[in-house]
Amino acid sequence: MHLHCPRFLNQYDIFSINVLKYFPEKFFAAKHFTPSSMQCKVVNIHAENESDNSGFLVSNNDTSLSQLHNYHGFLTDASCHKSHHKQDFKLVATPPLPKGFKKYFCRILSWCNLFMRNNQNDLCLLPFFLVSGANGSGRSTILKSVAKFLGLQYFKTDCLFLQTPTPGYADAQLKNLFSKFSTCAPCLVHFANFEALCVNSNGMKDDRLASNFINQFNDLKSEWPIVIFATAQNSARISGTIARLFLESLEMEALDQFERMSVLFWTAELQQIAINPGCLQNLAERTTGFLFTDLINLLDQTILNWHKTNSLMKPQTGSLEWENFEAVFKKIQLTHASSIGAPKIPAVSWDDIGGLGCLKQDILKMLSTLPISNNLRRSGLLLHGPPGTGKTLIAKAIATECNSNFLSVKGPELLNMYVGQSEQNVREIFSKARSASPCVVFFDELDSLAPNRGKNGDSGGVVDRVVSQFLAEMDEVQKSDGIFVLAATNRPDLIDPALLRPGRLDKLIYVGPCKDEESKLHVLKSLTRKYNLDEDVDLAVIVKDLTKRVTGADISAICSAAWLNAVRRLITNHESDGGTIFSETVVVKKEDFHTSIKAL
């Protein structure tokens, strides 16, 4: 089938056969090894005029092919494709990776170079490496690029397929895998979901399969390089007996702004789609916490929508703008927020918060200003004050206004009855924040999570251990960029003093009740800006009737009661009519406010 069109070949030439195109049944039937292409080398050609060194035209009808034994050797670079037609003669070189992944590529390449220059049987060490990171962070893409650069065959197998109810069947599969490595050498082998190798299909620990893997690994011998990579989401779940075999380990971190921009630009270049530079910069800033596959999915879905709306227009005739990405971006962002466990925060803007102007400016400066050095960096701040002054409302406004991810945690939610589970919950919260960096973590009711140690009469010391774990995580936050801790409490005197030292929650901001009439008026305007007020309503006059020290929650209760008074009056006036009452027809009058103030 591959030679259906005549090919120009000579002795010792190497040509590639697309397995997906010509043998799709073999590609999809393979459970572990799924090469998309197969390279063949012309060992010898028998022709009438064998003295001709210019080559031979090989066709399907006039040529017979015979397959010999497998030939070990490094593959040729298939990234460049040359067409022999005169009208489209060109050389197209596809960049193997975006620029943001260069540091990972160079590091993994340096690991493999030692085993490329030496015979594997002469070395005392076997090439076995670990790359950890979240699913979709680009680990497989980097390993494929390294294999392509070194001329190695790339084989990927998922360890989840080795979890079978029958132990003997799993051992046979593992033995079959390692026997194929030597026949396919030189190659790069990728074991995905490697932590699943240490457990059985029921989720229980299985040391037998891990021991069998170690035995097969130690018996692996080949004259050609065989480099083995294992990838896992959490390296701590890998058995210690296997973890000792790793020569090097690498953990892929979250993409920064430059890396996200390079991934988007690289993907758009492969798709031959132009993106407005301003839109590309905007996307890189907004897609904080997105993984490699999230960015590719964002661009692919946007291009698909582009083709649906511009079916008659070629993609090269225009460039993508932010309007093209907006709908797909919101959809993926919602999915990403659910995956990291971020709750749905109500849309609260700064316009909904009256007064507190100086407080809002201080918080925005801390969130927007990048740290000059670690010594000048602030890890978090604590909002304290009486109940109802707007501490939680400020946190919700921060979640809406800033482009960072937002994790909201209630203090009592992390406490658990089982030993060690409360500390584990604290570690998981900060682990999610690091994976979604830059991220704002908000702890409400902090006094219940981090009280003074040794004063609560806890015989088991559970709360004391939780506070110690919280302090340790706060020290890690100070070392890493992109995480800001925001906490709120009504009783700062109950919080452990170690948490309030410089470098942790070193900034305390008091959020008190409204004292002057100007701040009360700002709060009242913010709460009534969506109300349909009567012409005789003067908010400045209503403010004078309020008490001297009133909180934002009190003013909110007054406004809600005034609106309900207006609804009751409207219902009473329309009882005889029997008409439908809409919220737009509710008009709040001056006497409604006076009635609600007297009731409060």
Side-chain angles (χ1 to χ4, degrees):
M1 294 293 295
H2 178 71
L3 299 177
H4 182 72
C5 297
R7 308 281 178 173
F8 191 78
L9 297 175
N10 202 350
Q11 192 172 1
Y12 307 119
D13 283 351
I14 298 177
F15 62 93
S16 178
I17 298 178
N18 192 336
V19 179
L20 280 174
K21 181 178 180 181
Y22 298 104
F23 308 103
E25 66 281 357
K26 295 188 176 297
F27 179 84
F28 293 105
K31 182 180 294 186
H32 298 289
F33 293 161
T34 56
S36 58
S37 62
M38 179 178 62
Q39 293 196 354
C40 303
K41 184 174 183 179
V42 181
V43 179
N44 199 357
I45 296 181
H46 299 282
E48 296 179 358
N49 187 8
E50 298 183 5
S51 60
D52 190 3
N53 296 326
S54 59
F56 302 89
L57 190 64
V58 179
S59 62
N60 190 23
N61 298 327
D62 303 329
T63 307
S64 60
L65 280 77
S66 59
Q67 180 181 355
L68 303 179
H69 58 80
N70 292 336
Y71 178 82
H72 293 273
F74 294 95
L75 303 178
T76 58
D77 187 8
S79 61
C80 297
H81 306 278
K82 185 171 63 175
S83 175
H84 292 280
H85 297 284
K86 294 183 179 180
Q87 58 269 23
D88 53 341
F89 180 79
K90 59 183 178 180
L91 189 66
V92 180
T94 303
L97 276 177
K99 295 181 180 179
F101 283 167
K102 185 178 180 181
K103 58 180 181 180
Y104 300 119
F105 178 85
C106 295
R107 187 174 178 183
I108 294 176
L109 188 63
S110 64
W111 297 347
C112 302
N113 281 333
L114 174 64
F115 300 93
M116 296 297 106
R117 296 191 298 264
N118 300 278
N119 191 326
Q120 188 162 316
N121 294 330
D122 298 336
L123 297 175
C124 299
L125 300 176
L126 294 175
F128 192 29
F129 308 102
L130 172 66
V131 180
S132 58
N135 285 338
S137 56
R139 297 167 299 177
S140 300
T141 305
I142 295 176
L143 294 179
K144 287 180 183 178
S145 300
V146 171
K148 188 176 183 180
F149 183 84
L150 296 174
L152 304 176
Q153 295 190 72
Y154 174 78
F155 294 128
K156 180 179 179 181
T157 181
D158 198 332
C159 293
L160 294 175
F161 287 114
L162 300 176
Q163 292 182 344
T164 57
T166 306
Y169 183 69
D171 295 338
Q173 279 190 315
L174 197 60
K175 184 177 180 180
N176 186 28
L177 282 175
F178 276 90
S179 64
K180 289 183 178 180
F181 295 161
S182 56
T183 59
C184 300
C187 62
L188 187 149
V189 182
H190 175 196
F191 282 97
N193 297 317
F194 194 70
E195 63 270 24
L197 190 69
C198 307
V199 295
N200 55 21
S201 57
N202 298 324
M204 304 299 293
K205 186 177 179 180
D206 189 3
D207 294 330
R208 180 197 47 78
L209 188 59
S211 300
N212 189 15
F213 178 88
I214 295 175
N215 295 332
Q216 295 292 338
F217 177 78
N218 293 328
D219 295 339
L220 183 62
K221 302 294 181 181
S222 176
E223 297 180 357
W224 293 88
I226 301 177
V227 185
I228 301 177
F229 280 88
T231 58
Q233 295 189 59
N234 189 359
S235 58
R237 298 179 181 177
I238 299 177
S239 174
T241 56
I242 297 182
R244 289 193 290 267
L245 301 175
F246 295 127
L247 302 181
E248 296 283 352
S249 61
L250 170 66
E251 183 176 359
M252 296 191 63
E253 301 175 351
L255 300 175
D256 56 21
Q257 183 174 338
F258 169 75
E259 292 171 346
R260 293 194 298 272
M261 185 182 297
S262 64
V263 169
L264 290 170
F265 181 80
W266 174 71
T267 310
E269 189 178 17
L270 293 181
Q271 299 282 356
Q272 298 182 355
I273 298 293
I275 302 180
N276 192 319
C279 175
L280 190 64
Q281 178 74 20
N282 189 19
L283 278 175
E285 293 176 356
R286 288 173 174 263
T287 53
T288 53
F290 276 40
L291 299 176
F292 176 75
T293 52
D294 294 333
L295 296 173
I296 294 180
N297 188 26
L298 171 63
L299 191 59
D300 288 343
Q301 292 190 27
T302 304
I303 294 175
L304 181 62
N305 294 340
W306 167 278
H307 285 291
K308 289 180 179 178
T309 56
N310 303 278
S311 57
L312 301 179
M313 184 185 301
K314 294 183 178 180
Q316 293 83 356
T317 59
S319 59
L320 296 176
E321 301 290 343
W322 169 246
E323 291 76 14
N324 304 110
F325 289 94
E326 189 172 7
V328 180
F329 170 75
K330 290 182 179 179
K331 180 181 178 181
I332 297 180
Q333 189 181 39
L334 183 61
T335 305
H336 179 260
S338 301
S339 65
I340 65 173
K344 294 182 179 179
I345 303 297
V348 179
S349 63
W350 289 120
D351 296 334
D352 299 322
I353 303 176
L356 307 177
C358 298
L359 176 61
K360 291 188 289 187
Q361 292 179 3
D362 293 341
I363 295 176
L364 288 177
K365 286 180 182 179
M366 295 176 191
L367 292 174
S368 60
T369 305
L370 295 176
I372 301 175
S373 65
N374 289 332
N375 296 328
L376 300 178
R377 189 175 184 275
R378 173 165 284 131
S379 351
L381 61 88
L382 176 64
L383 302 175
H384 66 97
T389 52
K391 300 183 294 296
T392 306
L393 195 66
I394 290 174
K396 293 178 180 179
I398 292 174
T400 305
E401 296 294 334
C402 68
N403 290 328
S404 302
N405 293 307
F406 189 86
L407 288 177
S408 178
V409 183
K410 298 286 185 181
E413 291 178 354
L414 301 180
L415 301 179
N416 195 283
M417 61 179 292
Y418 295 103
V419 177
Q421 187 60 44
S422 301
E423 299 92 302
Q424 178 66 24
N425 294 339
V426 175
R427 288 193 296 268
E428 289 179 356
I429 288 296
F430 284 93
S431 177
K432 289 179 181 179
R434 281 188 287 269
S435 63
S437 175
C439 181
V440 177
V441 186
F442 174 63
F443 290 95
D444 202 2
E445 305 296 339
L446 186 64
D447 52 290
S448 64
L449 179 65
N452 285 321
R453 288 173 287 183
K455 295 183 180 181
N456 49 15
D458 184 11
S459 58
V462 177
V463 178
D464 292 350
R465 293 197 303 268
V466 171
V467 175
S468 301
Q469 182 66 46
F470 195 86
L471 295 176
E473 294 295 339
M474 286 295 298
D475 293 337
E476 294 296 327
V477 168
Q478 189 178 6
K479 298 177 184 178
S480 60
D481 296 335
I483 300 177
F484 189 82
V485 178
L486 186 65
T489 181
N490 302 329
R491 297 289 304 275
D493 55 305
L494 298 180
I495 298 177
D496 193 277
L499 192 60
L500 304 180
R501 73 152 175 84
R504 291 170 181 164
L505 296 179
D506 53 357
K507 180 70 173 178
L508 275 71
I509 297 180
Y510 177 73
V511 185
C514 303
K515 296 181 181 179
D516 57 318
E517 294 183 359
E518 184 179 357
S519 59
K520 297 176 186 177
L521 182 60
H522 280 301
V523 175
L524 194 58
K525 286 182 178 179
S526 300
L527 294 173
T528 59
R529 60 190 180 92
K530 297 181 180 179
Y531 288 3
N532 188 10
L533 301 178
D534 194 23
E535 296 179 355
D536 63 343
V537 175
D538 189 357
L539 297 180
V541 176
I542 295 175
V543 165
K544 295 180 181 180
D545 296 337
L546 299 176
T547 58
K548 292 183 179 180
R549 297 176 64 87
V550 63
T551 63
D554 295 334
I555 300 177
S556 177
I558 291 172
C559 295
S560 299
W563 191 84
L564 289 176
N565 292 335
V567 172
R568 292 190 186 99
R569 186 184 66 254
L570 192 61
I571 292 175
T572 303
N573 297 334
H574 289 76
E575 280 183 351
S576 57
D577 299 342
T580 305
I581 300 175
F582 298 97
S583 59
E584 293 81 3
T585 61
V586 179
V587 179
V588 183
K589 295 185 178 182
K590 181 173 61 176
E591 55 268 19
D592 297 326
F593 282 99
H594 291 306
T595 305
S596 61
I597 292 174
K598 291 179 181 179
L600 185 65

